[in-house]
Amino acid sequence: MTGKSLSERIGDLGHRLAVEAHAAWLAARDPRVPWLARALAIAVAAYALSPIDLIPDFIPVLGWLDDLIIVPLGLVAVRRLIPAPLWTELHAAAEAASDRPSSRAGMAFILLLWAGLLYIVYWSVRTSPWH
């Protein structure tokens, strides 16, 4: 019996989570998906694909907990809100896309989105009457 090493199993899990997050992103953009599922899918996909975490990864153990708990729970919730045949279609498209090279434009878009959000928060705090 030949089993996979721990690093191979972790790599497989990471690939599955990336495909699920991409399927959630596709769901967020698909008009056939109910609005609640689309809203949650946007939040989960943005968090999963973003380089910014609630708890930074350099903090031992805690840094990985948000990725190991928040993202999978969010993906389960999104998946339950989408009809099974539609989710199967979206998941297949995400799996096919995972074989292609990653997009630098997509990464730049996510980084610009986070920068814009941080600027809005900064501006809001700076102009608040409590400042």
Side-chain angles (χ1 to χ4, degrees):
M1 178 173 116
T2 60
K4 290 185 175 186
S5 70
L6 179 60
S7 64
E8 289 173 326
R9 287 186 284 173
I10 290 171
D12 289 346
L13 177 62
H15 174 75
R16 284 197 318 265
L17 282 175
V19 169
E20 295 280 323
H22 187 195
W25 178 247
L26 294 174
R29 298 172 41 209
D30 193 315
R32 299 172 294 170
V33 174
W35 73 268
L36 180 59
R38 289 174 73 179
L40 184 58
I42 289 170
V44 171
Y47 185 81
L49 299 174
S50 171
I52 299 172
D53 289 337
L54 289 176
I55 304 170
D57 288 339
F58 64 81
I59 298 174
V61 182
L62 291 177
W64 295 336
L65 282 180
D66 63 339
D67 294 327
L68 295 174
I69 294 171
I70 294 172
V71 173
L73 288 177
L75 290 171
V76 167
V78 167
R79 190 174 187 171
R80 288 185 179 182
L81 293 171
I82 298 173
L86 181 53
W87 178 257
T88 300
E89 178 186 329
L90 296 167
H91 194 271
E95 187 67 53
S98 73
D99 295 333
R100 295 191 298 262
S102 62
S103 165
R104 289 185 187 263
M107 180 180 69
F109 173 75
I110 295 293
L111 290 173
L112 286 173
L113 180 66
W114 274 110
L117 290 172
L118 288 172
Y119 177 76
I120 290 169
V121 168
Y122 170 77
W123 181 78
S124 298
V125 169
R126 192 142 162 81
T127 60
S128 75
W130 300 287
H131 182 260

